[in-house]
Amino acid sequence: MGKLRRRDFLKLTFAGAAAMVMDGNIAVPARASVKPFKLKDTKVSPSVCIYCGVGCGLLVYAKDGKVVNIEGDPDNPNNEGGLCAKGATSYNVYVNPLRLKRPMYRAPGSDKWEEKSWDWTINEVAKRILKTRNETFVREVGGVPVNRTDGLVQLGGASHDTDECYLLSKFARSLGIVYLEHQARI
């Protein structure tokens, strides 16, 4: 192998630079073709990250009823468009073929899960809340009226904003729930 002289080094350097410049030239049609913009004709909806209690804002792009992209919301004061590693992967939650899309129910003593409708699920949850409230409702303690239920709790999540938390706490208190907590405090 021969010795690399300064003149040869400069020739190779300029040849490499010229090749890099020519790579983006019209003479190379594969590189010059324009790809369609993937977010064209999509509907953008603001959302909240599903992971921690920070409540980072997301922009969810959907086309034909399917999520095609998720990115950070630059107008959200919590994250200003940035996302952590978990938030950046939230798109995979929506497109995962194993994601549950309907309520699943396993009857007591059964070893099988069965798919149920949303109407059945909501009615069943309401019946169980009412049953538990009625069974654990305490009217008085030591002659003092307390009107509370000790068998139910209410837990708020990261995706609830202040107004939603206010309404949820009012609903919980109307049932007699006194054990209220929020994910941000845990």
Side-chain angles (χ1 to χ4, degrees):
M1 183 171 201
K3 201 165 148 187
L4 183 65
R5 294 178 293 149
R6 182 173 182 247
R7 182 176 296 266
D8 294 330
F9 175 77
L10 290 173
K11 284 180 186 178
L12 287 172
T13 302
F14 286 117
M20 287 174 38
V21 170
M22 293 300 288
D23 192 34
N25 197 330
I26 297 175
V28 185
R31 297 274 186 190
S33 64
V34 178
K35 294 180 182 175
F37 185 53
K38 77 175 186 176
L39 299 181
K40 184 180 178 193
D41 301 327
T42 58
K43 180 184 177 199
V44 183
S45 301
S47 186
V48 179
C49 185
I50 57 174
Y51 290 108
C52 71
V54 176
C56 293
L58 299 175
L59 293 177
V60 180
Y61 294 85
K63 187 174 190 176
D64 300 326
K66 293 186 177 185
V67 175
V68 294
N69 187 47
I70 296 178
E71 61 187 37
D73 185 357
D75 294 331
N76 187 291
N78 293 340
N79 60 326
E80 297 177 342
L83 292 174
C84 69
K86 290 187 293 183
T89 63
S90 59
Y91 171 75
N92 294 324
V93 171
Y94 295 97
V95 298
N96 189 329
L98 300 176
R99 178 180 174 220
L100 295 178
K101 296 180 180 169
R102 298 194 44 116
M104 300 296 287
Y105 174 74
R106 190 176 75 179
S110 174
D111 62 344
K112 295 179 185 162
W113 289 91
E114 54 185 291
E115 197 173 273
K116 294 289 188 176
S117 71
W118 280 107
D119 289 335
W120 181 89
T121 304
I122 291 170
N123 287 331
E124 191 67 24
V125 169
K127 281 192 282 188
R128 291 179 186 207
I129 287 174
L130 184 60
K131 180 179 181 271
T132 303
R133 179 187 181 272
N134 291 341
E135 290 174 356
T136 61
F137 197 78
V138 179
R139 293 199 186 281
E140 291 184 358
V141 172
V144 178
V146 290
N147 294 327
R148 70 175 188 235
T149 180
D150 293 333
L152 295 170
V153 301
Q154 193 265 326
L155 177 64
S159 61
H160 298 135
D161 62 21
T162 304
D163 298 331
E164 289 168 333
C165 283
Y166 175 77
L167 292 174
L168 285 171
S169 67
K170 286 294 188 185
F171 172 70
R173 290 184 195 283
S174 73
L175 291 173
I177 297 174
V178 292
Y179 302 115
L180 304 173
E181 191 56 85
H182 192 274
Q183 179 184 2
R185 285 179 19 103
I186 295 176

